[in-house]
């Protein structure tokens, strides 16, 4: 640390140094050479004895004293590397959990407080200069002669003065962990504010070792038991059913490997917490310009029938009412269906926003989607102190009801399509009358600065990209890339938020939560995107079809955050624009010094902490020529300039007409020809699961991602609660995963040359693409119980004591690992069990068909079409869709499995009754096996019955027919049973 950096100061309640730039009175600071703190980047410093400060005696992980004190006082009190609890070090304050010490507290013996207090009051002795004995005596007499009572002093060891607890602790706090004498920040509020600005905007929160360590130990124990289980299964074949035994062992090995691959990335789960108050202090100073980064918000819609305009309107209104500076938000709605209904509904939404947004910001309402806000059954008077709130809320509810009436009128009118097509209010034909063949359309519905003074509104733009029959449009990924280019021309914010039209903003501070990561001076430059968990409304209480996906969002994603970051899941994600453009993150330079940060201007002063990327026009032209810009990004000068600006923004000299003209150009259907859009730039094409493929590309470039889980969910949406729609959704995800697996982006080898994708992160991507193949062994394993019951054979030979212990231990380890997993994650056991049930149901239906469809896509010109799931609200009663059954071939395999197992159970009981008492013991194992399958299939069976047993006749006929044929043929052929020729030696004897 250099002396030229300025004066270091701190407060009485902090152990951290603050560098104040440009102070007129530089002080002498001891130069500390050695290791750097892995948390804040400052030197770890030395102890009062001159030795290097070591926070953790177990592993020696370099942490400075301020960070050590902060972690003990406010954090988890464990070492970030070895997770050993920090022990109290000499001179440190006690915290709960410290071991009791019999000797005298070293706080009162550590510092010569009388000398320091004398120096602080009189300034006669410079820091670092030793005092003589006379000085010490003078200091002693001076302090005693002041107003302090004599009773506060007592004689201790020779040469020392013992003060009372209050004075002693206060003086010690002035010295702990610092090299300079500090002053009380409470006397200077500005210093306290400056100190707060240097604190981190977020931090990792480790899962308590008391919860995580038992889980890890159980996973290891389960792996050992699995090895013992396979040792027994492989070396104890079933002689009278060899084929059945081999098949079952192969299925078990595959499922065990699948579990292991799924488990490896779950080894390092973490949580995170943000500090919104520090973000405001640092980037929203009083009487100064707001320095929060601008953000563009993308909303995509395609079908106003399946995605009703009122749903899209609520999403847009919640975005416009974000708790974020209005001039920093630009909302773009992409209508891929070119529907005049969507356009007119957005016009009505823009008008209603002039009333709704000021109301939300005045009374700090949550959530800010009006439909959800007015439907919540809560005491809306709670904590509302404004006397006008009740009156204005009633007025606003009436305004919203009138707004809904206007939207519903537009919907009713859209059902009567004129023969000549739609015309706008000025009698101009609507350009999108042919949804598959129309020009580009764009209109700015709200401009920045709109609304009344003090109630400014964000920008709102409607756009529909050009569609022509001869061009590929790449569904949602193509629409997102068009939005990326248009927004770069019109606003060019450095960050973009992607939301589906049915995902409204549930937490108005969601963007601020993400900015705590992006705008962090030390870690922000390496973050490519921040993903929020998806939460859903309108689900049945029991979540029959596991729509919440809590295992994914509350377990898997948190574990990935501990490696290189979560994957992009299609919505609720804030990207850094540079990461989507295919750029690499800035190279890690020299570890930044810990300095005071007041604004972006102050950040630019410190060359070690900020990578200077601003370039003049000559440098930009040179950079564009080196990048071969046109072949990568396309022919657009405005877009070229926007992509090279570090902090975003557009040229203020550009007129609105020129910008709109360029926006029309960049969303034309031919703009991406002979460019890298969709391959190296933007969202990636080539798979329905473009979200997973895009995050794979970003992580391969070296970016990391963050999983942000605020206490109030950031976004909420709707999910398909209908069985058929849910299975189709699972099918679509599985097909997308297999398309990635069979492409040149296969995570098994993709990005190996760069070496920026971490090993466990690669395993996680591999697991996300190969998981559909588990459907084949799982399907076989679900049919094996029926086969065993029909043939009176079993996949396990006679079970002895050792084998019984192994089987019981395996079953208990599975149960224990599940319980410990839900314990550290906070997921309920019911939610975990629902996820397990639907994993089986989805595997034997959607995943099975996905393998067939994926192979057809990979080895033929078969195209996979994206079907839009209905997002319309339930108007026919609560959970009406839950009981609706629609015909699909996906229903046949699970139904066949259920019927086959039921037939097997009946046959097994019949055979046992005819064979006598000795056969009941063997029947119990087979029955447990078969009931295990039926219990996992129970949600499917319940959904198939419906509210009034409205099972499609075709499903029942095909399932019963297939199950009957399978059972009869199996009994007749019996292919897995060993065939023998000649007499049975067991009956006739060896010499018959």
């Amino acid at each position: 640390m250099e002396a030229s950096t300025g004066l270091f100061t701190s407060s009485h309640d902090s152990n951290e140094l603050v560098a104040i730039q440009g102070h007129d009175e530089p002080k002498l600071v001891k130069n500390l050479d050695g290791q750097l703190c892995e948390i804040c980047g400052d030197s770890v410093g030395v102890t009062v004895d001159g030795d290097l400060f070591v926070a953790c005696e177990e592993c020696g992980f370099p942490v400075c004293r301020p960070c050590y004190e902060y972690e003990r006082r406010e954090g988890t009190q464990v070492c970030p590397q070895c997770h050993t609890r920090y022990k109290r070090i000499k001179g440190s304050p006690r915290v709960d959990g410290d071991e009791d010490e019999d000797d005298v507290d070293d706080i009162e013996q550590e510092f010569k407080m009388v000398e320091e207090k004398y120096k602080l009051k009189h300034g006669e002795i410079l820091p670092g200069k030793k005092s003589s004995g006379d000085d010490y005596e003078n200091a002693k007499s001076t302090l005693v002669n002041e107003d302090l009572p004599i009773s506060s002093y007592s004689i201790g060891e020779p040469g020392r003065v013992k003060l009372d607890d209050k004075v002693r602790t206060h003086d010690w706090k002035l010295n702990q962990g610092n090299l300079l004498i500090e002053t009380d920040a409470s006397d200077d509020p500005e210093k306290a504010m400056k100190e707060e600005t240097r604190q981190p905007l977020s931090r990792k929160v480790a899962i308590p070792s008391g919860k995580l360590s038992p889980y890890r130990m159980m996973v290891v124990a389960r792996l050992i038991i699995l090895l013992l289980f396979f040792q027994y299964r492989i070396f104890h074949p079933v002689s009278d059913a060899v084929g059945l035994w081999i098949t079952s062992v192969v299925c078990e090995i595959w499922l065990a490997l699948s579990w292991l691959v799924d488990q490896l990335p779950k080894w390092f789960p973490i949580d995170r917490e943000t500090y919104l108050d520090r973000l405001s202090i640092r980037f929203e100073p009083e009487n100064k310009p707001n320095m929060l980064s601008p953000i563009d918000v993308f909303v995509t819609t395609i079908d106003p029938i399946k995605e009703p305009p009122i749903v899209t309107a609520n999403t847009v209104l919640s975005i416009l009412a974000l708790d974020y500076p209005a001039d920093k938000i630009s909302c773009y709605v992409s209508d891929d269906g070119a529907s005049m209904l969507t356009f007119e509904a957005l016009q009505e939404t823009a008008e209603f926003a002039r009333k709704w947004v000021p109301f939300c910001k005045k009374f700090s309402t949550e959530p800010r989607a009006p439909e959800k806000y007015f439907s919540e059954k809560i005491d809306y008077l709670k904590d509302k102190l404004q006397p006008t709130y009740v009156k204005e809320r009633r007025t606003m509810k009436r305004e919203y009801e009138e707004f809904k009436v206007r939207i519903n009128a537009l919907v009713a009118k859209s059902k009567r399509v004129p023969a000549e097509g739609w015309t706008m209010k000025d009698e101009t034909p609507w350009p999108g009358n042919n949804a598959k063949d129309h020009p580009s359309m764009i209109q700015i519905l709200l401009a920045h600065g709109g609304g009344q003074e003090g109630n400014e509104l964000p920008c709102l733009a409607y756009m529909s990209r050009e569609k022509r029959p001869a061009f590929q449009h790449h569904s949602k990924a193509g629409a997102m890339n068009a939005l990326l280019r248009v927004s770069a021309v019109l606003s060019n914010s450095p960050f973009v938020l992607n939301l589906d039209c049915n995902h409204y903003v549930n937490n108005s501070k969601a963007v601020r939560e993400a900015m705590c990561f992006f705008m962090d001076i030390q870690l922000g430059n390496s973050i490519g995107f921040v993903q929020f968990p998806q939460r859903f409304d309108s689900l049945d209480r029991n979540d029959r079809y596991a729509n919440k996906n809590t295992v994914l969002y509350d377990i898997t994603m948190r574990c990935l955050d501990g490696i290189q970051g979560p994957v992009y899941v299609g919505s609720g994600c804030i990207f850094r624009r540079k990461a989507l453009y295919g750029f690499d993150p800035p190279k890690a330079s020299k570890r930044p010094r810990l300095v005071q940060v007041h604004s972006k201007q102050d950040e630019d002063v410190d060359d070690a902490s900020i990578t200077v990327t601003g370039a003049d026009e000559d440098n930009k032209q040179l950079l564009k020529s080196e990048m071969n810009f046109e072949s990568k990004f396309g022919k657009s000068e405005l877009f070229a300039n926007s992509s090279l600006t570090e902090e975003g923004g557009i040229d203020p000299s550009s007129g609105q007409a020129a910008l709109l003209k360029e926006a029309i150009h960049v969303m034309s259907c031919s703009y991406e020809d002979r460019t890298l859009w969709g391959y190296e730039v933007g969202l990636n094409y080539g798979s329905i699961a473009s979200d997973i493929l895009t995050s794979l590309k970003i992580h391969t470039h070296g970016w990391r991602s963050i999983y942000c889980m605020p206490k109030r969910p950031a976004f909420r949406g709707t999910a398909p609660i209908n069985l058929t729609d849910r299975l189709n959704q699972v099918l679509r995800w599985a097909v997308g995963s297999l398309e990635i697996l069979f492409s040149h982006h296969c995570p098994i080898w993709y990005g190996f040359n760069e070496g920026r994708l971490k090993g466990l992160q690669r395993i996680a991507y591999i697991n996300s693409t190969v998981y559909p193949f588990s459907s084949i062994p799982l399907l076989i394993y679900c049919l094996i119980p029926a086969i065993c019951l029909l043939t009176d054979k079993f996949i396990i030979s006679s079970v002895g004591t050792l084998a019984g212990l192994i089987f019981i231990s395996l079953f208990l380890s599975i149960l224990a690992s599940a319980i410990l997993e839900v314990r550290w994650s906070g997921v309920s056991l019911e939610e975990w069990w629902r996820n397990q049930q639907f994993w089986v149901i989805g595997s034997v239906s959607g995943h099975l068909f996905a393998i067939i469809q994926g192979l057809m896509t990979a080895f033929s010109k078969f195209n996979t079409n994206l079907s839009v799931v209905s997002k319309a609200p339930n108007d026919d009663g609560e959970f009406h869709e839950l009981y609706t059954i629609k015909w699909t071939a996906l229903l046949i395999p699970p139904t066949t499995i259920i019927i086959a197992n039921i037939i097997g159970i009946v046959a097994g009981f019949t055979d046992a009754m005819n064979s006598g008492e000795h056969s009941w013991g063997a029947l119990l194992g087979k029955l447990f096996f078969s009931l295990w399958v039926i219990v996992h299939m129970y949600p499917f069976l319940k959904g198939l019955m419906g509210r009034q047993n409205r099972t499609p006749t075709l499903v029942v006929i095909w399932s019963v027919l297939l199950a009957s044929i399978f059972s009869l043929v199996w009994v007749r052929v019996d292919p897995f049973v060993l065939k023998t020729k000649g007499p049975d030696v067991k009956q006739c004897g060896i010499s018959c």
Side-chain angles (χ1 to χ4, degrees):
M1 189 175 292
E2 301 175 359
S4 60
T5 6
L7 173 68
F8 289 83
T9 185
S10 185
S11 68
H12 70 283
D13 58 351
S14 174
N15 304 317
E16 301 177 353
L17 298 176
V18 179
I20 300 186
Q21 302 295 333
H23 201 279
D24 295 334
E25 301 178 4
K27 301 292 182 181
L28 297 176
V29 181
K30 184 178 178 181
N31 186 25
L32 298 178
D33 296 327
Q35 291 181 297
L36 297 177
C37 174
E38 291 291 338
I39 298 178
C40 67
D42 205 353
S43 174
V44 297
V46 297
T47 64
V48 293
D49 299 327
D51 300 326
L52 187 69
F53 180 79
V54 179
C56 178
E57 298 178 357
E58 297 293 331
C59 65
F61 186 70
V63 175
C64 65
R65 187 159 195 150
C67 293
Y68 161 80
E69 299 285 4
Y70 177 83
E71 187 66 24
R72 276 173 47 85
R73 184 178 67 252
E74 304 289 344
T76 59
Q77 303 182 4
V78 298
C79 173
Q81 178 168 282
C82 67
H83 301 289
T84 303
R85 191 183 190 279
Y86 277 138
K87 296 181 179 179
R88 178 173 171 270
I89 298 177
K90 182 179 180 182
S92 299
R94 295 184 183 277
V95 296
D96 293 339
D98 282 343
E99 297 178 357
D100 294 334
E101 299 178 5
D102 297 331
D103 55 344
V104 180
D105 197 337
D106 58 7
I107 291 178
E108 63 186 57
Q109 304 293 340
E110 183 169 352
F111 301 103
K112 295 182 178 180
M113 293 177 231
V114 176
E115 293 181 16
E116 301 295 353
K117 198 170 184 73
Y118 178 81
K119 289 186 285 184
L120 182 63
K121 284 183 173 293
H122 300 281
E124 296 178 1
I125 302 175
L126 293 175
K129 183 178 179 181
K130 295 183 178 179
S131 59
S132 64
D134 295 337
D135 293 332
Y136 175 75
E137 294 298 330
N138 292 336
K140 210 163 89 172
S141 62
T142 302
L143 288 173
V144 172
N145 289 332
E146 290 188 359
D147 297 334
L148 293 176
I150 297 297
S151 60
S152 64
Y153 299 89
S154 62
I155 303 300
E157 297 180 10
R160 293 189 183 271
V161 174
K162 184 175 181 181
L163 307 177
D164 66 357
D165 291 341
K166 184 176 180 180
V167 176
R168 187 170 63 246
T169 305
H170 173 74
D171 289 345
W172 172 79
K173 284 185 176 180
L174 294 176
N175 296 276
Q176 58 173 334
N178 297 292
L179 300 175
L180 290 177
I181 303 168
E182 303 163 358
T183 60
D184 193 343
S186 63
D187 297 336
D188 190 350
E190 184 177 353
K191 286 184 178 180
M193 186 72 71
K194 289 178 180 178
E195 179 191 351
E196 186 69 16
T197 60
R198 72 177 294 276
Q199 300 293 331
L201 298 178
S202 65
R203 74 182 185 99
K204 291 181 182 179
V205 180
I207 305 296
S209 58
K211 294 182 178 180
L212 190 59
S213 296
Y215 169 71
R216 289 173 171 170
M217 294 171 61
M218 184 52 62
V219 169
V220 174
R222 182 175 171 180
L223 181 60
I224 295 173
I225 295 172
L226 270 175
L227 295 176
L228 295 175
F229 171 78
F230 284 121
Q231 188 270 341
Y232 174 83
R233 292 283 284 125
I234 293 173
F235 292 101
H236 292 78
V238 182
S239 57
D240 58 343
V242 177
L244 197 61
W245 167 75
I246 292 176
T247 304
S248 63
V249 170
V250 170
C251 293
E252 289 164 358
I253 292 175
W254 177 273
L255 294 175
L257 290 175
S258 176
W259 169 80
L260 184 61
V261 171
D262 180 68
Q263 200 63 48
L264 286 176
K266 292 183 178 181
W267 205 249
F268 303 104
I270 62 169
D271 287 325
R272 296 182 184 271
E273 64 180 26
T274 55
Y275 304 103
L276 300 181
D277 51 344
R278 296 175 184 173
L279 180 75
S280 297
I281 292 172
R282 186 174 301 181
F283 296 103
E284 295 180 293
E286 294 183 3
N287 303 322
K288 291 184 180 179
N290 191 296
M291 292 176 292
L292 289 174
S293 291
I295 185 169
D296 294 334
V297 186
F298 300 161
V299 180
T300 54
T301 181
I302 185 172
D303 188 349
I305 304 301
K306 293 185 177 181
E307 301 168 331
I310 192 64
V311 174
T312 304
N314 271 269
T315 299
V316 172
L317 288 169
S318 67
I319 293 169
L320 299 180
L322 277 167
D323 183 8
Y324 207 72
D327 60 331
K328 304 283 187 178
I329 302 174
S330 300
C331 179
Y332 298 86
V333 181
S334 171
D335 178 18
D336 241 21
S339 170
M340 186 174 171
L341 171 59
T342 303
F343 173 74
E344 291 181 335
L346 282 178
Q347 286 182 318
E348 293 287 348
T349 303
E351 290 301 317
F352 180 69
R354 301 180 187 275
K355 306 173 184 177
W356 173 251
V357 174
F359 170 79
C360 291
K361 293 189 175 181
K362 180 179 180 181
F363 298 107
S364 300
T365 62
E366 293 286 358
R368 299 192 175 181
E371 184 70 27
K372 185 64 178 176
Y373 172 70
F374 290 119
S375 64
E376 283 190 339
K377 298 178 181 179
I378 60 174
D379 181 11
Y380 59 84
L381 298 179
K382 186 178 181 181
D383 300 329
K384 300 297 180 182
L385 303 181
Q386 297 93 330
T388 61
Y389 172 71
V390 177
K391 180 179 178 181
E392 292 192 32
R393 185 186 186 279
R394 290 172 181 170
T395 303
M396 187 53 59
K397 187 173 183 179
R398 184 168 59 252
E399 293 282 356
Y400 178 63
E401 294 298 332
E402 294 174 358
F403 167 72
K404 288 175 65 177
V405 169
R406 293 193 296 271
I407 296 294
N408 291 334
L410 292 174
V411 174
K413 186 183 74 171
S414 68
K415 296 179 180 179
R416 301 184 295 272
V417 182
E420 64 279 5
W422 295 107
T423 56
M424 295 185 286
K425 293 179 181 179
D426 59 355
E427 303 301 327
T428 305
W430 173 247
N433 278 319
N434 187 344
K436 297 182 179 181
D437 189 1
H438 64 83
S440 301
M441 295 179 283
I442 187 170
Q443 179 166 337
I444 308 298
L445 301 174
L446 288 174
H448 279 135
Q452 301 176 356
E453 186 176 354
N455 291 322
E456 291 80 9
L457 295 174
C459 174
L460 175 62
Y462 167 88
M463 60 159 282
S464 182
R465 58 182 174 139
E466 183 183 14
K467 291 280 189 74
R468 301 300 177 190
F471 289 86
Q472 276 279 358
H473 301 294
H474 305 289
S475 303
K476 180 182 175 180
M480 283 287 294
N481 285 340
L483 282 166
L484 200 60
R485 296 191 295 270
V486 170
S487 64
V489 171
L490 297 180
S491 55
N492 193 36
S493 299
F495 304 102
V496 296
L497 165 61
N498 157 230
L499 286 177
D500 287 343
C501 68
N502 64 319
H503 280 199
Y504 64 88
V505 180
N506 185 64
N507 184 348
S508 61
K509 299 183 184 296
V511 175
R512 292 178 180 270
E513 295 275 356
M515 290 304 165
C516 286
F517 301 106
F518 282 122
M519 302 189 74
D520 188 273
I521 190 172
Q522 296 187 26
L523 302 177
N525 290 332
S526 64
I527 297 173
F529 62 91
V530 174
Q531 177 66 58
F532 292 87
Q534 292 189 11
R535 306 301 188 196
F536 303 102
D537 295 326
S538 304
L539 297 179
D540 58 300
R541 184 181 61 183
N542 296 322
D543 191 22
R544 181 185 297 175
Y545 306 127
N547 286 282
K548 292 180 181 179
N549 276 327
T550 49
V551 172
L552 171 64
Y553 294 122
D554 290 13
I555 298 180
T556 304
M557 299 286 268
R558 289 164 66 187
C559 296
L560 292 178
D561 198 16
I563 308 173
Q564 197 171 346
V567 299
Y568 168 45
V569 294
S571 182
C573 184
I574 299 182
F575 289 97
R576 184 183 298 275
R577 189 180 286 269
K578 292 287 185 182
L580 286 176
Y581 284 168
F583 293 124
D584 293 338
K587 293 182 179 180
S589 58
K590 182 180 178 181
R591 183 178 294 276
R593 296 189 301 269
L594 202 58
V595 298
Q596 173 75 21
V597 179
H598 300 290
S599 64
K600 280 291 183 182
Q601 288 78 8
D602 292 338
E603 292 180 25
D604 294 337
V605 174
D606 191 356
D607 295 334
S609 60
I610 290 294
T611 303
V612 179
T613 54
D616 54 19
E617 292 300 323
D618 294 336
N619 290 336
K620 286 184 179 180
Q621 294 298 329
L622 178 61
L623 183 59
K624 285 192 289 185
S625 63
E626 291 176 352
M627 291 171 53
N628 196 6
F629 187 89
E630 289 187 1
S631 63
K632 184 175 182 180
F633 296 101
K635 299 180 180 180
S636 173
E637 188 68 23
L638 273 175
F639 182 79
N641 295 331
S642 70
S643 66
L644 298 176
T645 56
E646 183 67 20
E647 296 299 325
I650 57 175
D651 187 359
S653 62
S654 302
Q656 183 174 351
L659 293 178
L660 291 177
K661 182 179 179 180
E662 193 66 18
I664 291 290
H665 169 60
V666 297
M667 64 175 164
S668 62
C669 58
S670 60
Y671 182 83
E672 294 182 354
D673 288 353
R674 294 180 293 277
T675 67
L676 295 180
W677 278 99
Y679 301 97
E680 298 296 333
V681 183
L683 269 74
N684 291 90
Y685 306 149
S687 171
I688 296 177
S690 60
D691 45 7
I692 296 179
L693 185 55
T694 300
S695 60
L696 173 62
K697 284 288 191 70
I698 292 175
H699 283 143
T700 304
H701 276 282
W703 297 94
R704 74 152 296 132
S705 56
I706 297 293
Y707 195 51
C708 183
M709 295 181 66
K711 292 182 179 179
R712 181 179 180 88
F715 310 102
R716 298 189 73 93
T718 57
I721 63 173
N722 174 266
L723 176 60
T724 305
D725 290 341
R726 182 75 170 100
L727 291 177
N728 279 316
Q729 185 184 59
V730 170
L731 170 65
R732 186 169 67 250
W733 292 343
V735 169
S737 297
L738 291 176
E739 287 174 342
I740 298 174
L741 181 66
F742 295 139
S743 69
H744 68 281
H745 295 117
C746 177
I748 298 176
W749 55 75
Y750 181 74
F752 254 118
N753 294 333
E754 291 81 359
R756 297 178 180 178
L757 192 65
K758 294 184 178 180
L760 289 178
Q761 192 79 16
R762 184 179 298 278
I763 291 175
Y765 276 113
I766 293 172
N767 182 51
S768 67
T769 56
V770 303
Y771 74 90
F773 285 106
S774 296
S775 62
I776 296 176
L778 195 59
L779 175 66
I780 296 172
Y781 219 69
C782 287
L783 289 173
I784 283 178
I787 297 172
C788 293
L789 288 167
L790 290 171
T791 59
D792 196 23
K793 305 296 180 183
F794 202 39
I795 57 175
I796 300 174
S797 59
S798 58
V799 179
T801 304
L802 178 61
L805 289 176
I806 292 175
F807 294 153
I808 293 174
S809 300
L810 180 60
F811 177 79
L812 293 177
S813 68
I814 294 173
L815 182 61
S817 60
I819 294 174
L820 292 173
E821 186 175 57
V822 301
R823 180 171 174 262
W824 72 254
S825 65
V827 175
S828 70
L829 194 59
E830 181 184 8
E831 290 173 333
W832 181 89
W833 173 240
R834 285 281 183 253
N835 185 84
Q836 289 296 111
Q837 286 180 312
F838 203 80
W839 170 69
V840 176
I841 296 170
S843 294
V844 299
S845 57
H847 298 173
L848 188 65
F849 281 80
I851 294 175
I852 301 172
Q853 195 167 333
L855 292 173
M856 293 174 62
T857 303
F859 301 109
S860 68
K861 296 182 178 180
F862 178 81
N863 291 325
T864 304
N865 296 320
L866 175 65
S867 59
V868 180
V869 178
S870 176
K871 302 175 179 68
N874 292 325
D875 297 328
D876 299 329
E878 190 177 13
F879 310 133
H880 170 75
E881 282 289 317
L882 183 65
Y883 304 99
T884 303
I885 301 296
K886 306 171 187 176
W887 156 249
T888 174
L890 297 174
L891 300 175
I892 294 178
T895 308
T896 303
I897 290 173
I898 293 173
I899 295 176
N901 277 275
I902 292 175
I903 293 175
I905 291 174
V906 174
F909 270 105
T910 304
D911 183 66
M913 287 186 292
N914 294 331
S915 302
E917 296 180 357
H918 66 278
S919 60
W920 286 99
L923 178 64
L924 292 178
K926 302 172 187 177
L927 286 178
F928 175 81
F929 203 4
S930 187
L931 290 174
W932 175 88
V933 175
I934 294 177
V935 167
H936 277 78
M937 291 287 180
Y938 176 73
F940 176 86
L941 183 61
K942 191 173 181 179
L944 199 64
M945 292 296 100
R947 176 178 286 173
Q948 298 175 354
N949 297 334
R950 297 178 181 175
T951 306
T953 306
L954 195 58
V955 173
V956 176
I957 292 175
W958 272 104
S959 301
V960 173
L961 181 61
L962 289 176
S964 302
I965 294 175
F966 169 78
S967 302
L968 294 173
V969 170
W970 192 276
V971 172
R972 180 67 180 89
V973 177
D974 213 359
F976 286 165
V977 177
L978 183 64
K979 299 296 188 299
T980 58
K981 295 182 179 181
D984 189 349
V985 295
K986 291 183 180 181
Q987 295 180 358
C988 301
I990 194 65
S991 60
C992 64

